Amino acid sequence: MPTIPTTPLRPRDAETAPAPTETTQAVTDAAPAANETPPVPPAKLTLEARLAATTAQMTLRLEYAALAHAVNTAHLPTPTTEPGDTIPLTPTLQPAPTPYPTPVAALLQRAHHRLLTAGWCAGTRTDPSGALCLYGAIHAEAAGNHQLETSGMEVLMDTIRREFGDLVDSIPAFNDAFATSRVPLRTLDRAALLADTRGL
């Protein structure tokens, strides 16, 4: 009679499948579901793209501001011009003031008016457009009278030092220290008044 083996039989699947380990369990837990897609990291914008976005945003803001201005000013009357109306292209120049009776005061007054009409400049006595500095205007209006020119320069220098102190060493240096004509012309006008007060 044949001998029956005493070793218990195991299913075929149990023989071939490896026993689960911790590594296998971790991989199974970390694996995404079949219907999920991994998140895509945001792409960095280039400088050109950021500038284009900023330009579009500013354009929208400007359009909104223009619309708000139009709405807020819609009730204001708009001036109209008729076809026959003429609009001056250049401002009307003021006539020369009444001249001072004294020669030095009159010289400085003429130089002031010349700067108002011909223009003021810095860095040079005269520029290609005909504008003049303080010294250039006094020199031109003195018309070769050196004594009158010197007296006018002295009064102007005295006026400059009265207002700005002794740090200014010359009229050209004072003239070139400014970017606009407002202070130089105001000082020249005050010098003419000072010369008239002194009877010069």
Side-chain angles (χ1 to χ4, degrees):
M1 185 172 180
T3 305
I4 299 173
T6 58
T7 306
L9 296 175
R10 292 179 295 176
R12 186 178 184 85
D13 293 340
E15 292 178 359
T16 58
T21 62
E22 293 181 2
T23 306
T24 306
Q25 185 66 27
V27 171
T28 304
D29 294 342
N35 59 351
E36 293 182 3
T37 57
V40 179
K44 290 185 177 180
L45 296 177
T46 62
L47 176 61
E48 290 78 8
R50 291 200 305 267
L51 288 175
T54 304
T55 301
Q57 184 180 16
M58 292 303 298
T59 302
L60 289 176
R61 288 185 179 181
L62 290 174
E63 290 177 354
Y64 178 78
L67 179 61
H69 175 74
V71 171
N72 293 334
T73 58
H75 65 283
L76 299 176
T78 303
T80 58
T81 56
E82 297 297 330
D85 294 343
T86 58
I87 301 174
L89 299 179
T90 56
T92 304
L93 297 177
Q94 298 295 326
T98 303
Y100 286 113
T102 53
V104 176
L107 167 66
L108 296 174
Q109 185 183 41
R110 291 196 307 272
H112 180 267
H113 185 70
R114 183 166 188 147
L115 291 178
L116 286 176
T117 55
W120 171 87
C121 67
T124 182
R125 182 185 294 185
T126 180
D127 68 3
S129 67
L132 298 163
C133 68
L134 288 173
Y135 173 78
I138 295 174
H139 177 77
E141 290 298 329
N145 188 337
H146 298 294
Q147 183 178 357
L148 180 63
E149 178 182 335
T150 301
S151 299
M153 296 290 185
E154 289 174 353
V155 175
L156 177 57
M157 197 68 205
D158 191 14
T159 306
I160 292 172
R161 286 180 173 156
R162 280 173 173 233
E163 187 170 353
F164 298 96
D166 295 334
L167 298 177
V168 182
D169 58 354
S170 67
I171 293 174
F174 172 79
N175 182 88
D176 296 346
F178 297 95
T180 64
S181 64
R182 185 176 63 86
V183 175
L185 265 68
R186 183 191 67 193
T187 307
L188 183 58
D189 189 46
R190 291 179 178 176
L193 180 61
L194 177 62
D196 181 61
T197 303
R198 293 178 176 177
L200 298 176

